[in-house]
């Protein structure tokens, strides 16, 4: 087995007990104290709940103390994640500021870790020195020159049995009560010390300085790390965007790797653009591509592609919202409502689809003659005209380069537009020129004719039908006759009459004089629909980002990892430690 001694000036942690360092032992002690305090004094309810809480606190604390991810402790990883979530993700300065002009200063080796742990180690050494002085002073009165190892009771002096007079039997109960009070004070003190130690260790491990975004201030970020080697950066692009397409509220992205990398894709949205809306990961080989459909949310959506290559270097590619044409523009006109349904970029070209919805009728002003003849009336009227056809042209323009295609009403129009290569933002305008053919129905025309005053005599034969009739009547009267002898006699006299007229038709010629006053006669004449036209021009302004052309990247071979050093104890074990402290080996 290969073994060697570790010099004291290297940057390595001292293992005090088993594979734990002194700060880890203190932190584990504090975690155990907190777990026991939660089990013993937590006002949760049943014993099972307090036991589960204690186990959860213990496992969480132990994982935070001894756990590592990629060789780094969990508090440091959590601190980096918090800084990543709460800090800026995009560097807006020039690339030259990210390159160091001179190598990093060598890390100064720490003698005993951070300041707080160094102070604790120093106080421990001072305590051991005082103990050794006391031992040496007490050895002058002893014959063998060594002090035997004696373990004291943690809660006071040890109590023996009864003496000959039985004086301790009566005081045993009081001593037990005194022991309970002392144990309570001890556990309360231990719990307070554990809390203070935990806070101190957490503060010492998570107190990582924040790196400045502009890079003007050099900050030692990895002072608490051990054995951290900063590799020289290998310049070159690892990931390229080969296609970016936006349709609706989704963005289709094609990524291509210039070398073997592990990528993580995150899409952000929300009111401020900091909500995580999508997360995905993949592993790509050199030249391999992958497609993603990312959600677009909020006014400033963006997405970031972080990568890690085969030699352990990492970086990210950010596509800001200035590259993403969201939301796509739309314009509402009188004839048609046009919108940019999709817009995509590939190296050397920008493609788009224009969608339209057109009306079937429209109010159109017409100069119309409504009355003709004796009088003439002309007026302008708004008439609902039917749209028979809407021909037009869609013309996409980018820096003097244009592409025109025929317009399709109530349909989709695809246009390609050539653009130069290189990383930039392409701003383009889409002009839609329309000319609608209208069929305008017009109301009937009223024709007026003037007639002057005139007299007219007209003889007409009038036929009159006289119906037949018959009638009868009777009358009676009573008279008184006086006779010569003076007597009177009454007589009743009756008379009857009957008349009959036959039915016949009587014709007679009648001459009439008719006077016609001056008047105007109106006549309604139906008319055919007239043909009209309407011109309209609409403009859609948009933009889309473009990346550089793909170029493969050859990375150097990763450095072989050196086998871990094996350490052996310099002394003979626990017996040598007893000899150094001046204690007597009891076995």
């Amino acid at each position: 087995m290969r073994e060697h001694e570790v010099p004291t000036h290297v940057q390595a942690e001292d293992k005090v007990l088993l594979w734990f360092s002194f700060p880890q032992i203190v932190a584990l002690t504090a975690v155990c104290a907190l777990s026991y305090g939660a089990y013993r004094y937590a006002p949760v309810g049943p014993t099972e709940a307090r036991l589960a809480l204690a186990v959860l606190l213990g496992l969480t604390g132990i994982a935070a103390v001894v756990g590592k991810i990629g060789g780094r402790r969990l508090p440091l990883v959590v601190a980096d994640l918090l800084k990543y979530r709460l800090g800026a993700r995009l560097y807006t300065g020039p690339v030259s500021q990210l390159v160091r002009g001179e190598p990093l200063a060598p890390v100064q080796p720490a003698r005993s870790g951070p300041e707080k742990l160094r102070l604790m180690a120093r106080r421990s050494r001072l305590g051991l020195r005082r103990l050794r002085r006391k031992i040496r002073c007490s050895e002058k009165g002893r014959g063998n020159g060594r002090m035997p190892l004696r373990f004291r009771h943690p809660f006071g002096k040890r109590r023996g049995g009864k003496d000959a007079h039985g004086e301790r039997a009566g005081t045993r109960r009081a001593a037990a009560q005194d022991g309970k009070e002392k144990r309570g004070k001890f556990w309360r003190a231990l719990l307070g010390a554990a809390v203070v130690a935990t806070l101190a260790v957490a503060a010492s491990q998570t107190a990582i300085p924040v790196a400045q975004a502009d890079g003007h201030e050099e900050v030692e970020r990895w002072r608490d790390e051990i054995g951290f080697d900063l590799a020289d950066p290998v310049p070159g692009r690892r990931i390229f965007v080969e296609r970016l397409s936006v349709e609706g509220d989704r963005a289709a992205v094609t990524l291509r790797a210039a070398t073997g990398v592990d990528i993580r894709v995150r899409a952000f949205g929300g009111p401020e653009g900091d909500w995580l809306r999508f997360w995905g990961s993949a592993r790509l080989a050199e030249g391999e591509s992958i497609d993603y459909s990312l959600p677009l949310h909020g006014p400033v959506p963006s997405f970031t592609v972080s990568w890690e290559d085969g030699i352990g270097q990492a970086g990210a590619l950010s596509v800001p919202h200035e590259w993403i044409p969201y939301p796509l523009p739309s314009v509402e006109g009188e004839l048609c409502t046009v919108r940019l349904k999709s817009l995509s970029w590939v190296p050397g070209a920008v493609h788009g689809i224009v969608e339209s919805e057109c009306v079937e009728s429209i109010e159109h002003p017409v100069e119309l003659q409504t009355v003709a003849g004796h009088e003439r009336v002309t007026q302008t009227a708004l008439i609902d005209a039917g749209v028979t056809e809407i021909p037009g042209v869609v013309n996409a323009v980018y820096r003097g380069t244009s592409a025109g295609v025929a317009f399709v009403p109530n349909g989709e129009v695809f246009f390609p537009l050539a653009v130069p290569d290189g990383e930039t933002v392409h701003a383009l305008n889409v002009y839609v020129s329309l000319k609608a053919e209208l069929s305008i129905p017009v109301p009937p025309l009223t024709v007026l004719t003037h007639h002057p005053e005139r007299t007219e005599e007209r003889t007409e034969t009038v036929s009159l039908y006289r119906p037949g009739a018959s009638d009868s009547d009777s009358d009676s009267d009573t008279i008184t006759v006086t006779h010569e002898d003076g007597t009177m006699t009454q007589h009743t006299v009756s008379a009857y009459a009957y008349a009959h007229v036959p039915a016949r038709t009587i014709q007679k010629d009648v001459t009439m004089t008719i006077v016609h006053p001056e008047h105007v006669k109106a006549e309604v004449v139906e008319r055919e629909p007239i043909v009209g036209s309407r011109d309209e021009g609409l403009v859609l302004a948009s933009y889309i980002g473009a990346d550089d052309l793909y170029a493969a990247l050859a990375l150097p071979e990763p450095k072989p990892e050196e086998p871990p050093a094996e350490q052996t104890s310099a002394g003979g074990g626990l017996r040598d430690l007893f000899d150094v402290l001046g204690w007597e080996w009891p076995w």
Side-chain angles (χ1 to χ4, degrees):
M1 180 181 295
R2 181 169 54 89
E3 63 181 38
H4 62 274
E5 295 183 357
V6 179
T8 58
H9 64 276
V10 299
Q11 190 178 3
E13 287 183 327
D14 295 331
K15 305 298 182 181
V16 179
L17 180 62
L18 299 178
W19 57 86
F20 298 110
S21 62
F22 187 78
Q24 290 178 333
I25 293 176
V26 174
L28 289 175
T29 304
V31 168
C32 294
L34 287 176
S35 301
Y36 178 78
Y39 169 72
R40 187 68 177 82
Y41 301 105
V44 176
T47 305
E48 292 79 3
R50 289 188 279 110
L51 182 61
L53 179 61
V55 171
L56 179 61
L57 289 177
L59 294 178
T60 305
I62 293 174
V65 172
V66 303
K68 292 184 178 181
I69 296 179
R72 305 184 65 241
R73 295 175 184 170
L74 289 181
L76 299 178
V77 175
V78 171
D80 287 344
L81 290 176
L82 288 176
K83 288 194 300 181
Y84 173 74
R85 294 296 182 189
L86 302 178
R89 299 186 180 88
L90 181 62
Y91 182 74
T92 57
V95 182
S96 60
Q97 295 182 0
L98 298 177
V99 181
R100 299 184 182 273
E102 56 184 8
L104 292 173
V107 180
Q108 297 295 331
R111 298 177 59 187
S112 298
E115 293 294 334
K116 297 179 181 179
L117 302 182
R118 189 182 304 168
L119 182 59
M120 295 174 66
R122 180 179 178 184
R123 290 181 179 177
S124 300
R125 288 197 299 269
L126 292 177
L128 290 176
R129 289 176 184 176
R130 294 193 189 99
L131 181 60
R132 293 182 65 180
R133 285 198 201 98
K134 292 181 180 180
I135 293 173
R136 290 174 183 174
C137 293
S138 61
E139 285 178 354
K140 295 180 180 180
R142 299 182 62 87
N144 55 3
R146 290 181 180 273
M147 176 181 291
L149 178 62
R150 293 180 181 179
F151 297 95
R152 294 183 177 273
H153 197 274
F155 303 105
K157 296 183 179 180
R158 291 174 291 180
R159 298 186 297 273
K162 299 180 181 180
D163 56 3
H165 302 283
E167 295 179 355
R168 294 189 180 180
T171 60
R172 184 173 299 173
R173 184 175 300 172
Q177 185 68 24
D178 189 16
K180 287 184 179 180
E181 295 179 357
K182 289 183 179 180
R183 284 194 295 270
K185 293 181 180 179
F186 171 77
W187 285 114
R188 286 193 293 270
L190 182 60
L191 182 60
V195 173
V196 174
T198 304
L199 294 177
V201 172
S204 64
Q205 291 185 353
T206 58
I208 303 177
V210 179
Q212 300 296 327
D214 53 3
H216 294 298
E217 182 179 356
E218 297 291 338
V219 182
E220 183 185 357
R221 297 188 57 185
W222 312 109
R223 61 180 183 181
D224 293 337
E225 294 294 327
I226 297 174
F228 180 81
D229 294 331
L230 184 62
D232 295 333
V234 178
R237 291 282 300 272
R238 269 68 166 179
I239 200 76
F240 289 86
V241 178
E242 282 206 330
R243 183 176 72 93
L244 175 60
S245 177
V246 174
E247 182 174 356
D249 58 351
R250 308 289 295 186
V253 182
T254 301
L255 305 175
R256 189 176 182 186
T259 184
V261 290
D262 293 334
I263 64 172
R264 292 177 177 85
V265 180
R266 297 176 177 87
F268 299 94
E272 302 295 334
D274 54 358
W275 293 1
L276 182 62
R277 307 293 299 179
F278 176 85
W279 184 91
S281 62
R283 175 172 294 180
L284 302 179
E286 180 179 349
E288 187 178 359
S289 61
I290 188 171
D291 296 330
Y292 282 99
S293 179
L294 305 178
L296 300 177
H297 181 268
V300 286
S302 62
F303 64 90
T304 302
V305 183
S306 59
W307 51 264
E308 183 179 356
D309 56 19
I311 61 176
Q313 296 190 359
L317 169 66
S318 295
V319 177
H321 66 274
E322 289 84 1
W323 282 30
I324 304 173
Y326 179 77
L328 293 172
S330 63
V331 179
E332 182 177 357
E334 295 181 352
L335 295 175
C336 297
T337 298
V338 295
R339 65 179 61 90
L340 199 59
K341 182 179 179 181
S342 69
L343 188 63
S344 61
W345 167 85
V346 293
V350 172
H351 300 156
I353 297 178
V354 176
E355 185 182 29
S356 62
E357 294 180 2
C358 300
V359 298
E360 296 181 355
S361 63
I362 187 174
E363 290 185 345
H364 188 70
V366 179
E367 190 77 17
L368 187 64
Q369 182 180 2
T370 58
V371 178
H374 180 66
E375 294 290 338
R376 182 183 180 88
V377 178
T378 302
Q379 59 184 2
T380 301
L382 284 176
I383 303 177
D384 288 337
V387 180
T388 58
E389 188 179 359
I390 306 179
V393 176
V394 177
N395 193 17
V397 179
Y398 172 74
R399 293 185 180 180
T401 304
S402 62
V405 292
F407 176 76
V408 177
N410 297 318
E412 298 178 355
V413 177
F414 174 80
F415 67 88
L417 183 63
V419 295
D421 297 328
E423 181 178 352
T424 184
V425 177
H426 300 300
L428 66 152
N429 295 322
V430 179
Y431 300 95
V432 181
S433 301
L434 307 176
K435 185 175 183 179
E437 296 181 359
L438 308 177
S439 176
I440 308 171
V442 294
L445 178 64
T446 302
V447 179
L448 302 179
T449 304
H450 179 259
H451 295 274
E453 182 179 357
R454 63 188 180 88
T455 303
E456 179 183 2
E457 290 186 355
R458 180 179 300 179
T459 301
E460 297 289 342
T461 300
V462 179
S463 298
L464 177 62
Y465 173 75
R466 186 188 67 188
S470 60
D471 193 14
S472 63
D473 192 11
S474 64
D475 191 14
S476 63
D477 192 12
T478 301
I479 61 175
T480 301
V481 178
T482 303
H483 295 282
E484 295 178 355
D485 56 0
T487 61
M488 291 184 297
T489 305
Q490 292 184 353
H491 298 275
T492 302
V493 180
S494 299
Y496 296 93
Y498 176 76
H500 174 71
V501 178
R504 63 176 295 184
T505 301
I506 303 173
Q507 294 183 351
K508 186 177 182 181
D509 293 334
V510 178
T511 301
M512 298 176 294
T513 302
I514 303 174
V515 178
H516 296 279
E518 182 181 7
H519 66 280
V520 175
K521 185 178 180 181
E523 183 181 2
V524 177
V525 179
E526 297 292 337
R527 293 184 289 184
E528 296 292 332
I530 62 176
V531 177
S533 63
R534 174 78 69 88
D535 296 334
E536 187 175 61
L538 303 174
V539 180
L540 298 172
S542 187
Y543 58 89
I544 192 169
D547 201 359
D548 283 333
L549 292 178
Y550 170 80
L553 178 65
L555 294 179
E557 294 294 332
K559 297 181 180 179
E561 297 183 359
E562 298 181 358
E566 300 178 359
Q567 302 182 11
T568 57
S569 176
L574 189 59
R575 184 184 295 273
D576 293 340
L577 179 61
F578 274 51
D579 293 339
V580 172
L581 297 177
W583 295 347
E584 182 180 356
W585 182 254
W587 297 282

